């Protein structure tokens, strides 16, 4: 997870970073550069004991074998070295794309989450919740790479991304396994990928979406919920406030045909 950043140094937080490194020990410290370590500090409001505890928890997870991947030796650390499983199911029911950037350079991840919800009974026959969470971890790691690419391209640090979730077709009564999946995704992001989300935008949200969203918010910190906006079919003007039309797929009203 050590990024080849361009020599950016967090002057204002340098002393705290050094203290955290002493507390977590050399092995854990060597797994995090200053920019990634700063994420944990920020997410814990510079509280030293909480920051150290979360980083130690992260390191155990980072190096542990993932469920259903023990035979291949897959961990969060090395997951991108392995091929994706369940590609047919993912391509049919879990459509997503890493495409475009906003005007500040944040990479954008698009996901048709409503379609996945509508077809969840089919998805769960092909993928367990563990497998779905593993896919989510892979996607988060890829977003880290997108941010690193933007950092190199723009000559400034880009450490956060934007997620846009299309809720069109969402099931009115979510499957129990779907709720478990959503909860575990949120917990994974909160525990192991802190302070990486710039915005989360739900679009095409049906009238009953607030019910599910209220369930989701139980597992989210206030810092995360403050970055979320929900829109029905009137979302395009909001997107155009911070990204150009050629960064938005045609299916969502933009001009990008990729």
């Amino acid at each position: 997870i050590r990024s080849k950043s361009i020599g950016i140094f967090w002057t204002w937080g340098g002393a705290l970073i050094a203290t955290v490194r002493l507390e977590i020990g050399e092995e854990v410290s060597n797994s995090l550069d200053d920019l990634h370590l700063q994420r944990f500090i920020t997410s814990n409001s510079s509280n030293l004991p909480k920051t150290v505890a979360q980083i130690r928890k992260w390191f155990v997870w980072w190096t542990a074998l993932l469920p259903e991947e023990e035979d291949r030796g897959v961990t969060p650390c090395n997951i991108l070295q392995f091929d994706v499983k369940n590609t047919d199911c993912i391509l049919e029911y879990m459509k997503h794309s890493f495409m475009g950037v906003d005007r500040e350079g944040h990479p954008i991840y698009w996901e048709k989450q409503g379609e996945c919800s509508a077809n969840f009974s089919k998805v769960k026959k092909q993928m367990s919740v563990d497998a779905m969470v593993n896919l989510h971890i892979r996607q988060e790691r890829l977003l880290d790479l997108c941010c690193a690419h933007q950092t190199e391209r723009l000559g400034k640090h880009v450490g956060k991304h934007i997620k846009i979730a299309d809720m069109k077709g969402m099931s009115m009564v979510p499957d129990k396994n779907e709720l478990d999946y959503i909860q575990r995704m949120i917990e994974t992001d909160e525990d192991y990928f802190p302070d990486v989300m710039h915005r989360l935008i739900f679009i095409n949200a049906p009238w009953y979406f607030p019910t599910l969203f209220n369930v989701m918010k139980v597992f989210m910190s206030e810092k995360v919920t403050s970055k979320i906006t929900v829109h029905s079919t009137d979302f395009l003007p909001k997107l155009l406030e911070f990204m150009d039309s050629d960064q938005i797929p045609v299916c969502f009203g933009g001009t990008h045909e990729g």
Side-chain angles (χ1 to χ4, degrees):
I1 201 168
R2 279 190 174 274
S3 64
K4 294 181 179 179
S5 58
I6 51 177
I8 305 161
F9 182 71
W10 296 84
T11 305
W12 59 271
L16 184 54
I17 287 174
T19 302
V20 171
R21 289 197 179 281
L22 287 174
E23 290 290 327
I24 61 180
E26 183 177 0
E27 182 181 12
V28 182
S29 181
N30 288 340
S31 300
L32 291 163
D33 65 18
D34 283 356
L35 296 174
H36 284 88
L37 196 149
Q38 183 64 48
R39 294 176 178 175
F40 289 95
I41 293 173
T42 301
S43 70
N44 287 287
S45 302
S46 299
N47 181 296
L48 180 61
K50 289 183 178 179
T51 298
V52 170
Q54 185 177 9
I55 292 175
R56 286 174 174 164
K57 179 180 178 181
W58 166 85
F59 185 71
V60 171
W61 168 84
W62 180 246
T63 55
L65 293 173
L66 291 171
E68 298 194 6
E69 291 285 12
E70 295 90 346
D71 59 327
R72 298 201 298 169
V74 181
T75 67
C77 176
N78 66 18
I79 192 170
L80 297 183
Q81 299 173 23
F82 295 85
D83 293 335
V84 182
K85 288 183 174 181
N86 308 296
T87 52
D88 290 344
C89 179
I90 293 167
L91 289 172
E92 186 167 1
Y93 302 122
M94 307 177 79
K95 297 181 179 69
H96 60 274
S97 175
F98 300 85
M99 194 210 78
V101 295
D102 72 354
R103 294 191 187 98
E104 295 179 331
H106 299 103
I108 305 169
Y109 173 79
W110 306 79
E111 183 175 66
K112 292 195 173 184
Q113 196 169 335
E115 284 189 15
C116 179
S117 173
N119 292 283
F120 202 84
S121 61
K122 300 174 184 176
V123 174
K124 70 179 183 179
K125 290 179 181 178
Q126 302 179 55
M127 296 177 66
S128 67
V129 172
D130 281 335
M132 296 176 207
V133 174
N134 291 347
L135 174 64
H136 178 71
I137 293 169
R138 177 184 292 273
Q139 292 163 336
E140 289 294 326
R141 293 294 319 282
L142 288 171
L143 281 166
D144 270 346
L145 293 182
C146 292
C147 287
H149 171 74
Q150 284 297 99
T151 294
E152 290 288 334
R153 188 176 75 86
L154 299 176
K156 67 175 185 178
H157 177 58
V158 179
K160 298 184 181 183
H161 56 255
I162 294 171
K163 289 181 179 177
I164 300 178
D166 177 19
M167 305 309 296
K168 185 177 181 179
M170 169 191 161
S171 174
M172 184 178 293
V173 183
D175 184 284
K176 178 182 179 299
N177 292 92
E178 182 180 0
L179 293 176
D180 183 28
Y181 168 51
I182 292 171
Q183 177 181 346
R184 288 183 57 187
M185 276 199 304
I186 294 170
E187 290 174 347
T188 296
D189 289 349
E190 292 270 5
D191 291 343
Y192 308 124
F193 296 98
D195 199 41
V196 297
M197 187 174 69
H198 183 58
R199 303 175 191 264
L200 171 57
I201 304 169
F202 292 101
I203 61 175
N204 287 320
W207 63 267
Y208 47 86
F209 177 74
T211 301
L212 174 62
F213 187 51
N214 286 335
V215 174
M216 294 167 60
K217 286 196 294 186
V218 173
F219 307 105
M220 295 177 176
S221 66
E222 290 185 9
K223 288 183 179 179
V224 170
T225 56
S226 68
K227 300 176 182 181
I228 297 174
T229 56
V230 179
H231 304 273
S232 56
T233 56
D234 59 345
F235 60 85
L236 186 57
K238 177 62 179 179
L239 299 186
L240 291 172
E241 288 179 10
F242 57 88
M243 67 177 75
D244 295 327
S245 179
D246 61 0
Q247 303 298 304
I248 303 172
V250 170
C251 62
F252 296 128
T255 60
H256 195 287
E257 298 183 355

